[in-house]
Every structure is written in C-alpha cells, then in structure tokens.
Amino acid sequence: MDTRDTSKIYEEVAKHYSAASQTTSVKYGETVAKSFGYTEEELANIPEGANLGLSCGNPLAITSLREGETVIDLGSGAGFDVFLAASRVGPTGRSIGIDFNDDMLSRANSLKASRGFPDSQVQFIKGAITSIPLEDGIADCIISNCVINLVPEAEKPLVFKEMHRVLKSGGRVAVSDILAKKPLPEKLRNDIAMYVGCIAGASEKQQYEAWLKEAGFDQVLIQDTGADINVYLDTDEEGNRGGCCAPPGTTAPAPGGCCAPPVKKEEEEKKTSCCKPAAFEEPKSSSCCAPKKTECAPAASSSSCCKPAEETKSSCCKPVEKKESSSCCKPAAVEEKEASSSCCKPAAKPETTNEAEKEDLNEWVGSYKIYAVKN
C-alpha cells in the first residue's frame, strides 16, 4: 500500500480500531499495559473493558497532573487514560477524550456511564486530532498514547500545532508513542497491517523534535523507554507471553503442542504432539493447528502434520516457503481459498507479510516518552 494515500490510511485505521473496540480479552490488555509501565493499582481503578491493550507507554507517568486541571487525551479510544486522568484531576477537574472512531466513542461512553462520571468531569468528543474541536487555551495538559504515529506523515505537524493552540500558557505535552530508530525498510513501511499496528507509520525522533519546536514548544524531551515492542505479537489472549505461536486471539496450547516449547525428554514418550516425528505415533485426531477431521500428513510422507515435505524444512512456527505446499496449520486447499493467518500469526490482529513477521520490531522502532512545554 502507498502510505502517502492519506484517505486509504484513515480508512484502514478506522476499520482496524472499530474491530479493536469489540475486544474482550482483559488479560491480554493487562499484560501489554504492565509491560509499558502501568501499575496493578492503576489497572484496578479503571472500568473493565477500558484497557484494550493498545498502549505503547504510560503518558500519565510524566504528566504530574494536579486536582482541578483540564487534561485532553488525543486518540482516547475506549477511555483508558481518560479515566485514569479523571481520578487525578478530581471532580473539580476535566478529563476530555478526543477520538474520530464512533465505535470507540460508543464503548468509552458506555464505560463512563457505568462509573457514573458526570459530563463536567469526563467527556468524550468526536473529532480529528489534526483539527481538535475545542477552543483555544483551555488545557493544562495534553496526553496521547500510541496514536500520533497513525497520522499520515504529511499531517503530523498539524497535530503539534493543534496541541499548542488548545494548551494554556505553561501547559505541557506528555505523549507515549512509537518512533523509528532508523529509516524503515520499504517492505515494512508499505505494510498496511504494520501501519495500523503503529509500526510502519513511525517517524524518527528528530522529526518529532522539529515539529514540536516549529509549533512553539520549549523544553522538548524525547527518550526511548526501552520497552519491548514485540509484546503485541507474542502475548496470547490469556495474557501469557509465549512467542510467535501464542498471539492474541488464540488460546495458548498445552505443553507439548505444536506451538508450545518442547516437553521434557521423559515426557515425550507419554505425549504425542503434532510436531513430533511420525516415528513416535501417528496423530489420531486433528492437531492444534489443523482443521478437524483432516489428516496431519499424507500417508506416504514421513513428515509430521506441522512439518510438510522434508525439502521445505519449515517448522510449525514458520510459513512454508513453497507456494504450492500447505502451511503447518492448513491443508493447501484451504490455504489457497483463504490466505488467512497461520498458527503463528496474531489472529486478532491484521495480517502481515511473511517478511514483516520475521523482523524483530525492537530493531526498527521503540517506545518513546515525549514531553514539552508551551511558553
């Protein structure tokens, strides 16, 4: 996809986050949030369902919010940071969320009602963060969490100008975002799934510094937190970190399954996994990766259900290199029709190219905390 096509970008982002608004996996969200600095206490003080696992940092950790202040969250989603901010500014303060996605706004307002927050304290407003629908100089602090990177690069300077406009003199910006550590390769930059996943649209640190200063901000500080970006890909829906085969939207297999670490040697002869050589035992039913009532491997082949022909030498955690072969998780006939995710792709996340999946995201991008002050 041409990532310069702004209308296509906004369309794909809207589609992705509408789907994300239906997420119900609390444990997944908790694991992601904790990995980016949220505490048990913070997670216990929000409405259940507000944390969708979409964070890439904790902007509230650098805000120093005080009672009575007005804080605005750009790209507020289901209200995670808005609710946390509301508890800090108190009933005399205001916590306002801005989001352009109707499904996210609906979920946020439903959660707001469940907690009984008055409009005077918590408010969710539909709008673009490149054109914030609020008057000048009303906010003491602006926060944002893993959203600005989703804005097409040509429009990102507008976000910082809008921040400056709605902040009071002396107001501050506290943002968590994913930034590129170096120029991204084309295959990654043009991957739409990686774009809506906050990776492919990442700008570099020096660009954010320039845009903030051009907008009129001082005391600009941008720092890599060192958090593990791969948490999005290797966390299952139960919140367990398990590598490429335990993505969100799937159930973590029992020990010894094709997507789990190998069982201990003494247990091998007692259990038969779909990834065990055929010499141990031919599986009697469907494996964790194959559809039910599907043979794991052709009778004439000595390969297991998760390892097609010997010449491919692919494990259950890697796609088969030959297009005519079936993947470790589907027969060829099914694969040709669906071209959907393999057992090692995040089922609840958009598809990515095989090349993108092989990348260690931490090599290319990082979680950054961004702070600045308006004169």
Side-chain angles (χ1 to χ4, degrees), residues 209-257:
E209 289 174 333
W211 292 329
L212 281 162
K213 290 175 181 177
E214 287 169 6
F217 287 101
D218 284 330
Q219 302 178 43
V220 176
L221 172 67
I222 302 179
Q223 184 176 359
D224 188 350
T225 67
D228 182 10
I229 302 299
N230 291 319
V231 66
Y232 300 119
L233 301 179
D234 65 7
T235 303
D236 69 16
E237 66 180 5
E238 296 303 318
N240 302 309
R241 297 288 298 271
C244 73
C245 291
T250 65
T251 301

Side-chain angles (χ1 to χ4, degrees), residues 236 240-242 245-246 251-276 287-288 316:
D236 69 16
N240 302 309
R241 297 288 298 271
C245 291
T251 301
C258 74
C259 296
V263 295
K264 293 181 179 179
K265 188 173 182 180
E266 57 266 29
E267 296 175 353
E268 285 185 347
E269 295 186 9
K270 297 179 182 178
K271 298 181 180 180
T272 302
S273 76
C274 68
C275 290
K276 199 172 289 185
S287 71
C288 65
C316 73

Side-chain angles (χ1 to χ4, degrees), residues 5 10 12 56 67 72 113 131 144 236 247 259 273 314 343 355:
D5 185 345
Y10 283 125
E12 292 295 335
C56 64
E67 282 201 28
I72 300 172
S131 181
S144 186
D236 69 16
C259 296
S273 76
S314 63
C343 69
E355 287 78 8

Side-chain angles (χ1 to χ4, degrees), residues 25-37:
S25 178
V26 174
K27 294 297 184 182
Y28 171 77
E30 288 180 349
T31 296
V32 171
K34 288 177 184 177
S35 74
F36 290 120

Side-chain angles (χ1 to χ4, degrees), residues 120-136:
S120 59
Q121 185 181 5
V122 173
Q123 194 174 7
F124 293 100
I125 300 172
K126 182 173 182 177
I129 66 175
T130 53
S131 181
I132 302 170
L134 293 170
E135 59 268 32
D136 296 357

Side-chain angles (χ1 to χ4, degrees), residues 30-73:
E30 288 180 349
T31 296
V32 171
K34 288 177 184 177
S35 74
F36 290 120
Y38 288 93
T39 66
E40 291 276 6
E41 183 182 1
E42 287 175 316
L43 296 177
N45 287 332
I46 59 169
E48 184 174 319
N51 172 23
L52 304 181
L54 301 174
S55 306
C56 64
N58 182 358
L60 294 170
I62 57 173
T63 55
S64 300
L65 288 177
R66 296 177 287 271
E67 282 201 28
E69 288 193 318
T70 294
V71 57
I72 300 172
D73 182 11

Side-chain angles (χ1 to χ4, degrees), residues 10 72-75 97-101 105 125-134 147 151 155 158-159 162-163 165-166:
Y10 283 125
I72 300 172
D73 182 11
L74 301 185
I98 306 293
D99 207 288
F100 84 128
N101 188 288
L105 289 168
I125 300 172
K126 182 173 182 177
I129 66 175
T130 53
S131 181
I132 302 170
L134 293 170
V147 173
V151 176
E155 298 183 10
L158 296 176
V159 178
E162 281 293 274
M163 287 180 174
R165 178 182 67 79
V166 300

